[in-house]
Each structure stands twice: as C-alpha cells, then as structure tokens.
C-alpha cells in the first residue's frame, strides 16, 4: 500500500487489436463505472448477475457476494461514497470460453488501481485481476482478485485491523 498522492489516470492496453463483443461490453461498462454512472453501468449487467469481491463485509461494506441489480446498486453506492479513484490501468484483455460453468465468454483483465478512502484518507495502490463473464451482450458475473487484506487496512486506516500486536 502506498501513502503517496497520485493523479487520477486511466490507461488501457489492448491484448489484441480486435475488439470482440465481450470486450466491447466490458469497455462500455468501464466507461460508465469510470464516470460513476450507476444506471449506465447496470445497463451492461444482466439483471441476475453475480458480483464477487473477496473480503469481510463487516469490515469493508461493499465486499462479498452480491446478486442482481438492487444489490449491485448498493455495491456501487457504497464503493463510490467511500473512495476517490486516483488511477486505473488495464494491462490487456484476454478472452477465454466460459467453460462448463455456463454460456458466454470470460474476459480476464490484469491491471492496477489506486483509491483514496474518504474516512481513513489512506491510499490503496494495488494490482488486480478482474474476470468478467459476458453472455448475450451483458455481464453475467464479475470476480476480482486483489489484496483484500490491504483493502481492509486502507479502508479502516488500521494496519492491524484491531488485532493484538504479533509476538
């Protein structure tokens, strides 16, 4: 976790020069998310989509598993109220078949983001891998692999998360 000030930036590097339907949906979602336009973001998401953000929602309110537009609206509202985006970088997009879990295409995205949290004023500067499943022109699932412990520490401003000091 970095505590230096960063400038809000968005950088995208395509994995290939061809944009397919699945990557186009994810890019449209990213545009809406970056503008913090919840209604437009949800227009790219299936009504019963499942969002998975690892962590303990008792510590960080927007983490956990959520399903459906109402739950995702809460997700966006909580995240946007608690954080200020400083940087977002996409380091490519790779498509793979969704496989036996269902129809569609998975879009796998490595990258980096930085957020400043409103309450703690701490900055989380982290790498991630996002996996979107896209079917019938909409996102049906989202999973993110990030430093959930670092997220909890930055969000709360408590590096020990209330635990006693290690021996």
């Amino acid at each position: 976790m970095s505590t230096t000030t960063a400038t809000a930036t968005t950088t995208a590097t395509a994995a290939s020069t061809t944009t397919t339907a699945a990557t186009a949906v994810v890019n449209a979602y990213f545009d809406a998310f970056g503008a913090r336009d919840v209604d437009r973001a949800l227009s790219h998401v299936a009504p019963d989509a499942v969002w998975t953000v690892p962590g303990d929602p008792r510590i960080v309110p927007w983490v956990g598993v959520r399903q459906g537009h109402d739950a995702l609206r809460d997700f966006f509202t909580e995240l946007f109220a608690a954080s200020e985006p400083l940087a977002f970088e996409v380091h490519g997009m790779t498509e793979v078949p969704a496989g036996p879990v269902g129809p569609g295409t998975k879009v796998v995205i490595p990258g980096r983001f930085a957020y400043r949290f409103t309450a703690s004023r701490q900055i989380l500067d982290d790498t991630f891998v996002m996996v979107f499943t896209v079917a019938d022109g909409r996102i049906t699932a989202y999973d993110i692999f990030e430093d959930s412990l670092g997220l909890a520490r930055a969000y709360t401003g408590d590096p020990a998360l209330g635990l006693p000091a290690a021996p």
Side-chain angles (χ1 to χ4, degrees):
M1 173 179 22
S2 170
T3 56
T4 59
T5 304
T7 303
T9 60
T10 301
T11 305
T13 305
S16 68
T17 56
T18 304
T19 299
T20 67
T23 58
V25 168
V26 172
N27 280 322
Y29 166 81
F30 279 156
D31 287 344
F33 183 87
R36 294 185 167 214
D37 185 334
V38 174
D39 291 326
R40 190 163 48 108
L42 288 173
S43 75
H44 302 291
V45 176
D48 61 347
V50 177
W51 236 241
T52 305
V53 180
D56 188 335
R58 294 172 301 173
I59 300 171
V60 179
W62 64 88
V63 304
V65 178
R66 300 194 184 217
Q67 183 170 12
H69 278 195
D70 289 342
L72 293 180
R73 185 173 299 283
D74 291 344
F75 163 83
F76 293 123
T77 300
E78 291 163 354
L79 174 62
F80 293 164
S83 65
E84 171 193 354
L86 302 174
F88 181 80
E89 300 170 6
V90 168
H91 300 154
M93 292 187 182
T94 302
E95 291 187 8
V96 296
V101 298
T105 302
K106 288 194 180 291
V107 181
V108 181
I109 305 164
R112 173 190 159 261
F113 60 68
Y115 282 94
R116 177 180 295 115
F117 294 102
T118 307
S120 70
R121 303 308 299 158
Q122 295 292 304
I123 294 174
L124 174 67
D125 190 332
D126 194 14
T127 58
F128 63 79
V129 174
M130 294 178 181
V131 180
F132 290 88
T133 303
V134 178
D136 297 324
R138 292 178 122 184
I139 298 165
T140 59
Y142 167 82
D143 295 277
I144 187 167
F145 303 89
E146 63 183 341
D147 179 0
S148 58
L149 178 59
L151 170 62
R153 287 174 169 165
Y155 172 73
T156 63
D158 181 359
L161 293 176
L163 298 171

